[in-house]
């Protein structure tokens, strides 16, 4: 029997039949357990219903989340649009306001400056004669003053306002070294130089005499050749500016470029040494300046600067270098030099248009004046602490503002000086010490720089440190420093008598030119009545300087 069954199981047909039987058995077995099947079906139904409900809840929650997110996104988009619209309106309003303010700025009057035409004394004898004549005029007028006014000393009469005017006219006629020194003295404090004398120097700075046309054409022929006129399409023989060592003419090149042509006064370079020697005698004769001003050092520094400034090829190279240093900064513009039209006594450069600092002070709105002041301070501090190269002539006529192209125009690079790293390490240290009012560090840095010997009286040391703290105020002040309401000048004036009386040594030679520029930057901001965040400018440069150590 078993072998038969085994053979059947091996057959495929039986396997299929057995499967059917097993299925029938399971059905029969289920019939025998109906309640179990029912309960299983109910449980399965409940479970599926519960799962379905959970899924529905999840879908509902997901849908609500999506709707909420969509609503939030729509609200954000609406807010962004409102903010963008508001910002656009604000920007348009600001631009409109700025445009309205700029449109209200009057056009500057055309340059129609009246110059006094005077032959420049070229020979040594001629210039000595001019100095002698000036000295005689001052002495003669002082004697007249003593006759007409009682109880007045000869020195008081010698530095009278009338004599100040005579001195200014004499310097304007001499030009060259005497006028250059007068420019340097024009920014001194009243305690150093009487106010009316300083004002006379300022007047001389702004009103140098010009060469007669015959003398002008002689210089052009000597430097550019007898056919000099063929090098220009147009050349204005009347200058639009006159300074200590040269006058400036407007011209158009044969290629149609508008240029400014600076022409040196004849004989000025050759007379530097004799002029300064004669000027020193005149000043000692008048006893105009206190001994603690160290006139010898001032004149020696001026002598060195002038010999370099009278070589316009050197100036051209400095100007080209400045274009490399600041040319990539959109805030500034520096004229391009035309080397083919330049010599040692003639410098030709691109003519750039802009408003003068004086015009901006009288006519610009506050925000534009602030911007000019900020750029002047940024320029000055970058020169010192980024490039260690500074144009040290703070004459306001060396700065113009092109409001159409939003650029501060920089001119005249004859008085550019470079500073060593050890010197600048100490100088930035003393400025930083002033910003944190570290008096001990200010004193030590001043000794390291050569301002002090360290043997001065306590009163002198305190006055010197007070002056540093005072000068550093714009870099210490949190926020915009108001140059229009500053009290620095008054404080320095109060300290000056003490420092003049107890000073034991002259300042280091680098300081003469450096402080001339820094004082000029302050004075321009005072003239413009700006509000500038000087601290941020200085601290950013200070941090960069320290990182490079």
């Amino acid at each position: 029997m078993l072998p038969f069954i085994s053979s059947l199981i091996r057959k495929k047909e039986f396997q299929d039949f057995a499967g059917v039987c097993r299925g029938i058995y399971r059905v029969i077995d289920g019939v025998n357990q109906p309640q179990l099947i029912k309960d299983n079906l109910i449980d399965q139904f409940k479970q599926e219903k519960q799962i379905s409900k959970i899924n529905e809840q999840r879908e509902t929650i997901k849908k609500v989340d999506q709707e909420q997110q969509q609503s939030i996104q729509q609200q954000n988009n609406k807010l962004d649009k409102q903010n963008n619209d508001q910002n656009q309106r604000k920007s348009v309003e600001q631009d409109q306001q700025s445009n309205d303010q700029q449109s209200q700025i009057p056009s500057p009057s055309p340059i129609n400056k009246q110059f006094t035409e005077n032959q420049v004394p070229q020979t040594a004898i001629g210039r000595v004669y001019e100095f002698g004549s000036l000295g005689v005029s001052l002495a003669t007028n002082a004697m007249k003053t003593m006759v007409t006014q009682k109880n007045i000393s000869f020195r008081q009469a010698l530095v009278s306002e009338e004599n100040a005017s005579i001195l200014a006219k004499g310097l304007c006629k001499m030009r060259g070294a005497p006028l250059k020194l007068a420019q340097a003295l024009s920014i001194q404090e009243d305690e150093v130089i009487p106010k009316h004398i300083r004002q006379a120097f300022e007047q001389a700075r702004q009103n140098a005499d010009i060469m007669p046309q015959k003398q002008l054409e002689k210089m052009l022929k000597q430097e550019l050749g007898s056919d000099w006129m063929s090098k220009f399409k147009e050349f204005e023989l009347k200058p639009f500016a006159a300074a200590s060592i040269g006058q400036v003419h407007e011209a158009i090149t044969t290629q149609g470029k508008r240029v400014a042509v600076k022409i040196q006064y004849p004989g000025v370079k050759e007379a530097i040494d004799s002029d300064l020697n004669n000027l020193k005698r005149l000043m000692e004769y008048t006893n105009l300046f206190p001994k603690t001003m160290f006139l010898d050092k001032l004149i020696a520094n001026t002598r060195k600067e002038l010999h370099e400034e009278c070589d316009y090829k050197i100036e051209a190279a400095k100007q080209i270098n400045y274009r490399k240093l600041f040319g990539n900064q959109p805030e500034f513009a520096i004229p391009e030099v035309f080397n083919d039209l330049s010599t040692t006594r003639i410098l030709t450069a691109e003519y750039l248009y802009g408003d003068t600092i004086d015009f901006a002070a009288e006519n610009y709105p506050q925000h534009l004046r602030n911007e000019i002041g900020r750029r002047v301070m940024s320029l000055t501090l970058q020169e010192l602490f980024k490039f260690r190269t500074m144009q040290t002539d703070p004459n306001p006529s060396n700065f113009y503002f092109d409001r159409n192209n939003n650029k501060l125009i920089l001119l005249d690079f004859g008085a550019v000086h470079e500073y060593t790293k050890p010197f600048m390490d100490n100088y930035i240290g003393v400025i930083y010490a002033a910003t944190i009012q570290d008096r001990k560090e200010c004193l030590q840095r001043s000794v390291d720089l050569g301002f002090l010997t360290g043997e001065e009286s306590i009163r002198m040391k305190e006055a010197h440190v007070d002056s540093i703290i005072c000068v550093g105020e714009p870099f210490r002040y949190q926020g915009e420093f108001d140059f229009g309401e500053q009290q620095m000048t008054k404080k320095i004036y109060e300290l000056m008598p003490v420092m003049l009386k107890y000073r034991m040594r002259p300042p280091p030679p680098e300081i003469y030119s450096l402080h001339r520029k820094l004082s000029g930057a302050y004075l321009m901001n005072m003239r413009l009545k700006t509000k500038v965040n000087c601290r941020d400018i200085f601290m950013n440069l200070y941090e960069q300087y320290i990182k490079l150590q």
Side-chain angles (χ1 to χ4, degrees), residues 303-312 314 318 414 416:
R303 189 189 309 273
K304 180 181 177 182
E305 290 182 358
L306 272 170
H307 275 293
E308 191 169 293
E309 288 181 44
C310 282
D311 189 334
Y312 284 173
I314 294 177
K318 291 177 178 179
V416 171

Side-chain angles (χ1 to χ4, degrees), residues 509-525:
E510 298 92 338
I511 291 300
Y512 288 100
S513 56
L514 190 157
H515 278 187
R516 186 168 68 227
K517 174 63 174 287
L518 187 59
S519 297
Y522 278 19
L523 289 171
M524 273 190 279
N525 274 278

Side-chain angles (χ1 to χ4, degrees), residues 485-500:
E485 298 294 330
Q486 60 81 31
Q487 298 295 316
M488 292 185 298
T489 307
K490 181 181 177 182
K491 294 175 183 175
I492 291 294
Y493 283 175
E494 292 171 352
L495 294 168
M496 190 58 66
V498 175
M499 291 191 289
L500 287 174

Side-chain angles (χ1 to χ4, degrees), residues 236-354:
E236 178 56 59
L237 291 173
K238 181 182 178 182
F240 65 85
S244 57
I245 61 176
Q247 59 190 47
V248 191
H249 297 254
E250 186 176 351
I252 298 177
T253 68
T254 53
Q255 290 77 32
K257 294 280 189 179
R258 191 171 296 275
V259 293
V261 185
K262 182 162 67 172
I263 304 168
Q264 193 174 121
Y265 300 126
V268 164
K269 183 176 182 178
E270 294 77 9
I272 291 173
D273 294 323
S274 61
D275 276 359
L276 288 175
N277 292 336
N278 290 325
L279 187 61
K280 179 186 173 185
R281 294 188 190 99
L282 181 63
M283 290 182 172
E284 289 174 341
Y285 168 70
T286 58
N287 196 27
L288 188 58
F289 306 108
K291 291 181 180 180
T292 48
M293 188 179 173
F294 298 101
L295 188 61
D296 285 347
K297 293 291 184 181
L298 178 60
I299 289 179
N301 188 68
T302 303
R303 189 189 309 273
K304 180 181 177 182
E305 290 182 358
L306 272 170
H307 275 293
E308 191 169 293
E309 288 181 44
C310 282
D311 189 334
Y312 284 173
K313 283 189 175 180
I314 294 177
E315 180 175 347
K318 291 177 178 179
Q319 187 163 334
I320 292 169
N321 183 53
Y322 250 71
R323 279 174 61 86
K324 293 178 182 177
L325 297 179
F326 290 95
N328 62 342
Q329 298 190 29
E331 296 183 337
F332 306 107
I334 299 169
E336 178 187 359
V337 173
F338 289 77
N339 284 315
D340 58 328
L341 295 173
S342 300
T343 68
T344 55
R345 296 175 189 258
I346 288 181
L347 177 58
T348 303
E350 178 185 9
Y351 190 113
L352 297 180
Y353 299 86

Side-chain angles (χ1 to χ4, degrees), residues 3-268:
F4 172 76
I5 293 173
S6 176
S7 64
L8 286 175
I9 291 173
R10 287 196 294 270
K11 292 182 179 293
K12 184 176 183 298
E13 294 81 1
F14 186 81
Q15 289 177 5
D16 293 339
F17 175 76
V20 173
C21 291
R22 283 195 299 272
I24 293 171
Y25 174 79
R26 285 173 183 152
V27 171
I28 294 172
D29 186 60
V31 171
N32 291 332
Q33 302 178 28
Q35 187 62 42
L36 179 61
I37 293 173
K38 183 179 179 181
D39 291 343
N40 288 338
L41 289 173
I42 291 172
D43 290 341
Q44 183 177 358
F45 175 77
K46 286 181 179 180
Q47 187 177 7
E48 289 177 353
K49 187 175 181 180
Q50 187 176 6
I51 292 172
S52 176
K53 187 175 180 180
I54 292 171
N55 288 336
E56 286 178 1
Q57 289 176 346
R58 287 176 176 173
E59 288 296 326
T60 302
I61 293 171
K62 184 177 180 181
K63 186 176 181 181
V64 171
D65 286 343
Q66 289 177 344
E67 289 175 352
Q68 288 178 344
Q69 290 177 2
Q70 187 175 4
S71 176
I72 292 171
Q73 185 63 42
Q74 289 175 349
Q75 290 178 355
N76 288 337
N77 291 339
K78 187 176 181 181
L79 288 172
D80 289 341
K81 188 176 184 302
Q82 289 176 348
N83 288 333
N84 288 334
D85 291 343
Q86 186 177 0
N87 289 335
Q88 287 178 356
R89 285 195 300 272
K90 187 175 180 181
S91 178
V92 169
E93 288 173 359
Q94 289 176 342
D95 290 342
Q96 184 64 41
Q97 183 180 6
S98 179
N99 291 334
D100 289 344
Q101 289 177 330
Q102 290 210 35
S103 65
Q104 293 172 5
I105 300 174
S107 298
S109 302
I111 298 174
N112 190 26
K113 193 168 183 178
Q114 298 298 317
F115 293 101
T116 300
E117 192 175 281
N118 251 320
Q119 182 88 5
V120 181
Q122 292 180 245
T123 65
I125 295 176
R127 297 185 74 83
V128 169
Y129 173 78
E130 293 295 338
F131 272 110
S133 298
L134 179 57
V136 171
S137 297
L138 292 172
T140 302
N141 193 65
M143 296 294 290
K144 290 180 181 178
T145 302
M146 292 180 67
V147 171
T148 56
Q149 297 182 29
K150 296 180 179 180
N151 300 323
I152 185 172
S153 67
F154 180 69
R155 184 181 184 279
Q156 289 174 319
L158 202 56
V159 297
S160 67
E161 292 188 21
E162 189 175 349
N163 262 5
S165 179
I166 293 173
L167 179 61
K169 290 178 181 178
L171 295 175
C172 285
K173 185 178 180 181
M174 293 293 294
R175 282 152 284 192
L179 188 54
K180 188 72 177 180
L181 187 60
Q183 291 176 356
L185 295 173
S186 68
I187 63 171
Q188 295 293 329
E189 294 81 4
D190 292 347
E191 283 74 13
V192 179
I193 303 173
K195 185 176 182 180
H196 58 277
I197 298 291
R198 185 169 54 82
Q199 289 174 340
F201 287 155
E202 174 66 16
Q203 179 187 352
R205 180 181 68 79
Q206 297 181 356
N207 297 284
D209 292 349
I210 63 172
M211 295 180 277
Q213 185 173 328
K214 184 178 179 181
Q215 205 169 35
L216 167 65
E217 291 181 351
K218 183 178 179 181
M219 282 295 296
L220 285 164
K221 288 178 181 178
Q222 285 178 357
E223 297 301 313
L224 297 179
S226 57
D227 62 339
W228 69 269
M229 191 59 202
S230 66
K231 302 179 187 296
F232 300 94
K233 185 182 290 185
E234 296 179 20
F235 191 96
E236 178 56 59
L237 291 173
K238 181 182 178 182
F240 65 85
S244 57
I245 61 176
Q247 59 190 47
V248 191
H249 297 254
E250 186 176 351
I252 298 177
T253 68
T254 53
Q255 290 77 32
K257 294 280 189 179
R258 191 171 296 275
V259 293
V261 185
K262 182 162 67 172
I263 304 168
Q264 193 174 121
Y265 300 126
V268 164

